[in-house]
Amino acid sequence: MSIQISDCTIRDGGYLTGKNFPPEFIHGVIDGLIRAGIDYVETGFLQTQVNGESIVYHDSKDVRKYIPSFKGNTEFVGFCDNSRYSVENLDDCDGESFENLRISFAKHEWREAIKFCAEAKAKGYYVFVQPMDAPGYTDEERKELIFAVNEIEPEAFAIVDTFGAMHLEDLYRIFKNVDQLLDRKIKIGLHSHNNLHLSCALAEQLIMMAEETNRNVAIDGALFGMGRGAGNACTEQLVNFLNTRYGKHYDLPVLLDTIEKYIIPLKQTIYWGYDIPMFICGSESAHVDNIYYLQKNMNCSYRELHEVIHSMDIEERKRYGANYSKGDFTILQNAYKVYKNERK
């Protein structure tokens, strides 16, 4: 059994800064993660539309400026959303940039996304298949997806808790289902959000279940949990758990230095972490932008946040339903109006 950590501080943390970090931050965080022995480091976003953001790239060549000559045992990862990037823009893997590519997609996109994954693998990348919203799949839907994944034999298939909605029993059920169906050569990944304050518990639970079935796994974390909304599992906590319980040799003091120098100063001006609005996101399986919009534009109380989101159809809450495109909050606005009218 192999247990690996994938750090997404730069990519997931980038949501908090408009996908911009100063070069010294990027180089410093990468250096710290390498020296600590972290297995995978995400470098940022591949997008068709690039507007000069420091961690948004057109292809792997754009990332080379951040890849150091000394990599230790660390591998680098590119990330793209199936709906925001085209495989035609992806250059062949040449070993001078990231070697691994995560491809994220919504449930209704999975068939075209699997084709994308196959084409990326043909270009020489180790592909991580990242279907969003794992709890949103029925067992039959997940079975159909996994059979297609097995056909292309990627490096990993992830359980992604997009809305921070999973409890331990949800993970147990989903992992058992995935572990039974997924080809044994394929790793199982976990990417969680800390809306219910369970990210590290979920990670430990998955590792212990994987130990029982001798399944290779890769667990996502971020330094100090840095990420949009409630943030992610904490890389430093994962390191401590694996060093203590599984005899790993990640360098925790190096991570603590890196957090103190690069992450803690950001907390002065940027907020992330568990709070009640993010709890509401997780408890209702809602997209974080819905909460942000209601807080900013409607000045909702906690009760109002919960009741407006709860009144919406489950797919509408996720912002992936029909006629609910990026930036269009019409459905949310209507739900708020109905809620207020009912209480007059």
Side-chain angles (χ1 to χ4, degrees), residues 7 17 77 155 238:
D7 185 89
T17 63
V77 184
E155 181 73 8
L238 299 179

Side-chain angles (χ1 to χ4, degrees), residues 110-211:
W110 79 257
R111 287 177 176 81
E112 63 180 270
I114 290 300
K115 295 177 183 177
F116 187 164
C117 292
E119 292 178 48
K121 183 181 176 184
K123 292 191 175 190
Y125 293 93
Y126 297 104
V127 172
F128 287 60
V129 180
Q130 303 281 123
M132 292 185 277
D133 188 23
Y137 283 77
T138 66
D139 287 349
E140 280 302 311
E141 289 169 338
R142 189 177 298 107
K143 179 179 180 180
E144 186 178 9
L145 170 60
I146 290 176
F147 282 176
V149 169
N150 287 340
E151 289 292 319
I152 65 171
E153 298 182 350
E155 181 73 8
F157 174 89
I159 298 171
V160 182
D161 185 18
T162 304
F163 305 110
M166 284 202 306
H167 289 270
L168 296 179
E169 63 180 0
D170 300 315
L171 178 64
Y172 180 87
R173 175 180 56 81
I174 293 169
F175 176 85
K176 291 297 184 183
N177 186 226
V178 173
D179 187 51
Q180 180 181 26
L181 297 171
L182 191 68
D183 189 292
R184 297 298 305 176
K185 297 188 294 293
I186 304 171
K187 300 171 189 172
I188 295 179
L190 176 67
H191 184 90
S192 64
H193 293 102
N194 205 30
N195 298 65
L196 301 181
H197 230 314
L198 290 172
S199 278
C200 285
L202 291 166
E204 292 187 16
Q205 176 75 14
L206 184 135
I207 290 166
M208 291 186 288
M209 288 190 295
E211 185 178 19

Side-chain angles (χ1 to χ4, degrees), residues 58-72:
H58 184 262
D59 56 26
S60 77
K61 296 184 180 66
D62 288 350
V63 185
R64 289 179 186 172
K65 58 182 175 288
Y66 298 129
I67 306 297
S69 56
F70 173 74
K71 303 177 185 178

